[in-house]
């Protein structure tokens, strides 16, 4: 986890330059080829400045993603659960994962966490869990609104929604979901979550011709 | 992809020793800390011998996994689709992913593929796709047997089954699925795949108390 910066000593300008440099370099060379030296050079700060605020390259990139991805993946609440899920997941796919500035940073960071338990914990605490909590909150509101069943298992629902997306990304299963494929995935999960009275006979989304 | 070894020159004993050494070293030190030098030393062969057969450490580990994981994740066909899926997925989770000899090799290899497009292609061609094809064949047989709907989208079904498992593993979402959680996941997908006449009103698996 990034060390808590000392607010007195922190130069917001340097900080922004470091964050920008980290994402740019990931986009240009791939996360694996980025060094703290190179980030420092691009941001026109010393390595010491970076290490004062972050313990590692991974921690810089994690903060950079954390501060950058929100506009793409914020959870809207229009009252239309399906539209909100689709907007948020489409943002994750095509505003983050396939976006050069953030996509290579994200996959490189996830790769790095396979070797670094501290970074793995930070990835979850700082980046993944807060967004999963937002998704859970949106689904919980849909329960209150009677759009999904009060007994629905939201943890399983989240795994069914986001698991397939990361599976394709990290195991290189071809292109990420198209809008039609994403729509099918969401339809499938929402159909399974529907309140008992409103449930469809079966998920139409698992029909090939849907 | 590993270079096609010349059968005349290939020493099966050396090959086995290299494969074993690669998995042992991954278990002991983590994939990221394993080198071709260390594999050669442990296997009592020269580095040149390894590079004659494989282009990189990743290619060695990929072959090592490919030759090791089958007993754990072979797809049974007992006629009981649910039991077969559970046996195969349980083998993947607890015979491969949490098994020290193969688990750290697998996550390390997947990490490495995020930086290496050739290795990414090999991971899919040699390890992932052949197993996905086995799963698809088992589900296709279940269509023929009338256990799942003839129109069911098997690609979506596979993503719904395996996506959540890799999501937990690679994004460090706590422990892997327990048998009860795995059962819920499978029940959910099978319920969505059920033939129209036999479909349940809604997936019972998404109820929290199931």
């Amino acid at each position: 986890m990034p060390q808590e910066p000392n607010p007195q000593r922190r130069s917001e300008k340097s900080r922004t330059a470091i964050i920008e440099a980290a994402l740019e370099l990931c986009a240009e060379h791939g996360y694996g080829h980025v060094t703290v030296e190179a980030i420092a050079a691009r941001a026109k700060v010393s390595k010491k400045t970076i290490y004062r605020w972050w313990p590692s390259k991974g921690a810089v990139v994690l903060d950079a993603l954390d501060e950058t991805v929100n506009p793409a993946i914020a959870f809207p609440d229009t009252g239309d659960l399906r539209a909100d899920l689709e907007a948020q997941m489409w943002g994750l796919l095509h505003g983050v994962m396939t976006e050069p500035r953030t996509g290579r940073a994200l996959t490189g960071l996830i790769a790095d966490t396979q070797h670094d338990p501290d970074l793995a914990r930070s990835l979850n605490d700082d980046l993944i869990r807060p967004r999963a909590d937002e998704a859970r909150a949106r689904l919980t509101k849909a329960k209150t609104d009677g759009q999904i069943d009060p007994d629905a298992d939201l943890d399983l629902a989240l795994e069914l929604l986001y698991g397939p997306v990361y599976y394709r990304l990290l195991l290189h299963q071809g292109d990420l979901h198209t809008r039609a494929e994403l729509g099918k995935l969401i339809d499938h999960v929402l159909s399974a979550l529907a309140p008992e009275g409103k449930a469809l006979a079966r998920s139409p989304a698992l029909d090939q011709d849907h």
Side-chain angles (χ1 to χ4, degrees), chain A:
Chain A
M1 187 146 50
Q3 286 162 349
E4 197 55 35
N6 178 331
Q8 273 84 42
R9 290 161 75 200
R10 180 181 204 155
S11 148
E12 197 50 41
K13 204 178 145 204
S14 295
R15 195 175 189 285
T16 306
I18 293 165
I19 295 276
E20 284 301 311
L23 293 182
E24 277 172 20
L25 289 167
C26 283
E28 289 166 23
H29 305 293
Y31 178 100
H33 299 285
V34 177
T35 60
V36 170
E37 282 87 339
I39 298 172
R42 175 75 59 102
K44 297 192 173 62
V45 302
S46 69
K47 266 175 69 177
K48 217 177 127 191
T49 300
I50 296 184
Y51 280 121
R52 201 184 302 142
W53 294 336
W54 293 280
S56 63
K57 168 180 85 173
V60 179
V61 173
L62 178 55
D63 263 12
L65 283 170
D66 191 29
E67 297 186 12
T68 307
V69 298
N70 274 343
I73 61 169
F75 236 102
D77 180 4
T78 65
D80 180 343
L81 177 61
R82 188 191 183 289
D84 291 350
L85 279 171
E86 192 176 319
Q88 198 275 341
M89 294 184 74
W90 188 253
L92 174 62
L93 288 165
H94 297 286
V96 178
M97 289 178 171
T98 61
E99 182 66 28
R101 238 169 118 256
T102 45
R104 297 184 83 181
L106 178 65
T107 52
L109 181 68
I110 293 171
D112 213 357
T113 63
Q114 307 309 320
H115 312 295
D116 182 340
D118 287 339
L119 192 61
R121 211 168 300 117
S122 299
L123 173 73
N124 195 27
D125 289 348
D126 299 344
L127 201 66
I128 305 294
R129 198 189 311 129
R131 274 76 186 186
D133 286 345
E134 282 180 41
R136 198 176 287 105
R138 183 66 191 86
L139 292 174
T140 301
K141 181 168 180 295
K143 272 191 184 181
T144 313
D145 295 347
Q147 293 168 333
I148 64 178
D149 195 273
D151 290 330
D153 180 340
L154 300 187
D155 290 326
L156 178 55
L158 288 177
E159 288 189 337
L160 289 168
L161 287 168
Y162 293 92
V165 164
Y166 279 97
Y167 180 75
R168 279 209 199 176
L169 177 74
L170 298 173
L171 294 182
H172 321 288
Q173 300 300 295
D175 294 330
L176 295 186
H177 293 72
T178 62
R179 199 172 273 275
E181 289 173 323
L182 185 61
K184 265 185 90 157
L185 176 61
I186 293 170
D187 281 346
H188 164 75
V189 176
L190 287 186
S191 145
L193 290 170
E196 206 138 352
K198 296 180 192 168
L200 298 162
R202 57 192 296 277
S203 164
L206 278 167
D207 281 351
Q208 251 161 342
D209 301 328
H210 178 70

